Amino acid sequence: MAVPHVLIFPLPLQGPVNCMLKLAELLCLDKEIQITFINTEYIHQRLMNYTDVEVRFGKYPNFKFVTVPDGLPEDNPRIGDQIRLIIEGVEEVSSPLFKEMVMTTNSAPTCLIVDGIFTFALPIAKEAKIPLLYFDTISPCSLWTYLALPKLIEDGEIPFKGNDLDVLVNGMPGMEGVMRRRDLPSFCRTPDVDIPIIKHVIKEGKHIVQAQGLIFNTFEALEGPILSQFRALCPNIYAIGPLHTQMKAKLSSQRLPNTPTSNSIWKEDVSCIDWLDKQPNKSVLFVSIGSLATMSKAQFFEFWYGLVNSDTRFLWVQRPGSIIGLEDDNNNVPMELVESTKERGCIISWAPQEEVLARPSIGAFLTHSGWNSTLESIVEGVPMICWPYFVDQQVNSRYVGEVWKLGLDMKDVCDRITIERMVREVMDVKKIEFLERAKYMSDLAIASVGEGGSSYQDLDRLIEDIRLMRI
Ligand code: UDX
């Protein structure tokens, strides 16, 4: 029998790559399983530049990286709305190389784990007769809205009739009474449904349920009702998250070093940890919009005034390129902002986010509601203020605010008065209430990856199933 060999191919973006590397490392701990991890050249180079992945994964003789081109010009920023081009680039340029790796007779893979948006993988897996597991690194609740799209379009819910975004949307089992139009993925706000991104996600919804299984970075206590909906379509679900916590738990249980690890594709500014440790307990608001979201210069100043007027301490990640139209020299920044920031703010270009969220001085997280950021905040018991940017983030922020009650959803609003009000509410007026709720969910998240927990068991089952998938 062949040795179990998993070929892993993430969507080449910070969030999904981070997630799949965590899964890869968890599988590496099982020395019987070989892992080949496909990175695009762009992502790989950045990981090599800014992290220790080469050393970290170099310790595992059963692991290897391979790289493929992504088909985009070198100077493409690969942020914001480029996501569609990234998906299409991979499909056109990288997928034939993926196919060669699947079809090889030399140490052929016995299992494929790829991002859910890679619909090209299903026919390849079928042709090669190799089991395929789709790993959708977004939240199941947002993925569930993708699966509902054909029906929503058929029922005339999308495109929206009229401009009222507060109308409740029907036709999504398990989400009754929760989702307003404004909570659907951003691409649903279109007058024409015949657009590439909608076609991609509808195709994704049809393909993923045909795989041998679906892997999710979530846990039963958080998304049980939606996971049950998925099980009705695809019984083999592995809910193994939060993956970064699962990783820490496994390393501890095997008495392996458990120092903070980074899969960042930007250079982390670790000096912020010293700054954080000088601030009082639960006094700092962490502000970051992840790896892809951008804001206009006008929005940037609304945020800045809102933060300063709230009188709260803040640590703000201003990722290079994330503020559209801001001159490099910052000459136009009013002195009052600069002075107040010197007193109680810290601005950096990229944070060691997992470490930051775990510091005792962090009181809340103003986030774009990317799924990794949301889970990282949940695990550390940090309440959120959500300013979703696009795609799945609109759904995540609704769940944070309305369903899980872990914070406030600022959705579609970006003015200094609202920002100040929400920061005061989460950091002051309702601080205890939000912290208690966040602690409750954090305990559930940690329990899920502990021995016998739901995510612990699902990971064990996944590893066992991979071992059995020998040709
Ligand atoms: C993208 C999409 O935007 C998101 O909606 C989807 O859920 C996943 O893919 P991204 O914008 O990168 O994700 O957000 P997120 O999923 O939150 O991932 C960002 C990752 O970068 C997190 O793991 C976070 O810890 C890390 N990060 C972010 C840092 O390490 N430092 C930072 O300063 C900011």
Side-chain angles (χ1 to χ4, degrees):
M1 264 203 304
V3 173
H5 175 194
V6 187
L7 186 60
I8 301 184
F9 193 7
L11 181 63
L13 298 173
Q14 175 70 81
V17 167
N18 187 11
C19 233
M20 293 248 197
L21 278 172
K22 297 247 159 66
L23 174 62
E25 203 161 352
L26 280 164
L27 297 179
C28 278
L29 294 175
D30 186 304
K31 297 183 181 63
E32 257 190 54
I33 301 176
Q34 299 286 328
I35 292 116
T36 301
F37 194 96
I38 308 176
N39 265 333
T40 60
E41 287 154 1
Y42 173 82
I43 293 283
H44 197 68
Q45 194 51 53
R46 296 189 75 107
L47 284 172
M48 293 299 129
N49 288 349
Y50 302 129
T51 72
D52 66 346
V53 288
E54 203 171 5
V55 178
R56 207 160 8 111
F57 283 93
K59 287 186 314 223
Y60 300 111
N62 49 337
F63 178 91
K64 74 167 190 244
F65 279 120
V66 292
T67 57
V68 293
D70 64 8
L72 294 180
E74 217 157 280
D75 60 353
N76 184 300
R78 294 162 172 86
I79 57 163
D81 299 338
Q82 303 297 314
I83 192 164
R84 180 175 66 79
L85 295 181
I86 294 172
I87 297 167
E88 289 170 3
V90 169
E91 195 152 339
E92 267 171 48
V93 178
S94 330
S95 74
L97 299 167
F98 168 75
K99 185 170 181 178
E100 274 175 32
M101 291 179 220
V102 175
M103 297 296 184
T104 180
T105 48
N106 181 14
S107 176
T110 57
C111 170
L112 311 175
I113 297 182
V114 309
D115 192 281
I117 197 77
F118 291 168
T119 50
F120 58 79
L122 186 68
I124 295 174
K126 280 187 178 163
E127 188 182 336
K129 298 193 173 55
I130 297 177
L132 169 68
L133 304 177
Y134 271 121
F135 184 2
D136 246 296
T137 61
I138 59 171
S139 59
C141 58
S142 50
L143 187 66
W144 190 239
T145 65
Y146 295 5
L147 268 77
L149 275 181
K151 178 142 189 342
L152 295 182
I153 293 170
E154 195 187 307
D155 292 352
E157 295 270 6
I158 302 172
F160 307 148
K161 293 185 187 74
N163 297 325
D164 186 357
L165 290 180
D166 288 321
V167 173
L168 280 174
V169 182
N170 298 311
M172 289 178 288
M175 293 182 155
E176 293 85 0
V178 172
M179 301 294 285
R180 302 160 303 175
R181 287 173 174 171
R182 69 171 77 252
D183 306 315
L184 289 174
S186 54
F187 49 71
C188 296
R189 301 180 190 191
T190 171
D192 177 12
V193 291
D194 199 20
I195 52 173
I197 190 72
I198 292 197
K199 287 186 191 157
H200 280 304
V201 299
I202 288 182
K203 199 169 165 194
E204 174 178 4
K206 289 188 177 138
H207 278 62
I208 53 171
V209 294
Q210 296 178 57
Q212 267 75 12
L214 285 178
I215 304 173
F216 288 128
N217 188 15
T218 193
F219 56 104
E220 205 64 40
L222 186 71
E223 290 195 276
I226 293 294
L227 290 171
S228 301
Q229 299 285 345
F230 272 102
R231 284 193 187 96
L233 297 176
C234 176
N236 198 21
I237 301 283
Y238 307 94
I240 59 172
L243 266 173
H244 67 292
T245 318
Q246 179 93 265
M247 185 71 224
K248 284 183 196 149
K250 276 281 180 291
L251 290 175
S252 297
S253 72
Q254 301 196 7
R255 296 183 197 286
L256 291 165
N258 202 346
T259 43
T261 56
S262 163
N263 297 324
S264 277
I265 60 168
W266 276 273
K267 187 169 171 39
E268 290 174 350
D269 182 346
V270 291
S271 68
C272 63
I273 298 291
D274 279 347
W275 182 84
L276 277 175
D277 289 348
K278 290 192 188 105
Q279 312 305 317
N281 221 11
K282 306 280 178 217
S283 69
V284 178
L285 177 76
F286 177 50
V287 185
S288 167
I289 58 167
S291 71
L292 297 167
T294 59
M295 62 175 74
S296 67
K297 195 169 156 181
Q299 289 171 327
F300 171 68
F301 282 115
E302 290 306 304
F303 269 110
W304 206 340
Y305 271 108
L307 292 176
V308 162
N309 296 346
S310 72
D311 288 330
T312 297
R313 292 179 170 81
F314 59 89
L315 169 65
W316 189 356
V317 176
Q318 294 176 6
R319 196 192 71 236
S322 62
I323 300 143
I324 307 298
L326 188 75
E327 270 74 47
D328 288 337
D329 58 15
N330 275 1
N331 274 342
N332 301 327
V333 178
M335 272 321 281
E336 69 216 55
L337 291 182
V338 176
E339 290 306 322
S340 307
T341 302
K342 271 192 210 145
E343 272 169 35
R344 56 176 182 280
C346 176
I347 295 178
I348 53 173
S349 59
W350 191 254
Q353 184 168 300
E354 281 177 38
E355 248 188 292
V356 163
L357 286 167
R359 302 322 281 190
S361 56
I362 292 292
F365 184 11
L366 200 169
T367 170
H368 69 307
S369 298
W371 188 233
N372 292 286
S373 295
T374 305
L375 279 177
E376 289 160 13
S377 205
I378 288 176
V379 167
E380 300 304 339
V382 175
M384 286 165 263
I385 300 172
C386 304
W387 187 66
Y389 175 68
F390 71 171
V391 196
D392 56 315
Q393 299 159 9
Q394 270 76 16
V395 185
N396 298 338
S397 68
R398 180 62 170 171
Y399 267 69
V400 166
E402 186 66 20
V403 180
W404 302 323
K405 314 272 188 217
L406 294 171
L408 300 175
D409 186 5
M410 209 170 107
K411 190 169 282 155
D412 298 318
V413 178
C414 185
D415 64 78
R416 62 190 75 183
I417 297 190
T418 308
I419 294 164
E420 178 188 341
R421 178 175 55 77
M422 290 200 169
V423 173
R424 285 184 187 280
E425 204 167 324
V426 173
M427 295 290 290
D428 182 12
V429 184
K430 291 195 182 163
K431 181 174 180 170
I432 306 287
E433 193 179 319
F434 277 124
L435 281 173
E436 279 175 5
R437 177 77 193 152
K439 168 82 170 72
Y440 167 76
M441 200 52 97
S442 161
D443 288 347
L444 292 175
I446 292 166
S448 75
V449 301
E451 200 170 340
S454 61
S455 297
Y456 177 98
Q457 289 187 29
D458 271 18
L459 179 66
D460 264 4
R461 185 165 56 83
L462 172 65
I463 292 174
E464 199 44 45
D465 289 352
I466 288 173
R467 284 215 197 100
L468 295 172
M469 288 172 188
R470 303 178 183 201
I471 303 170

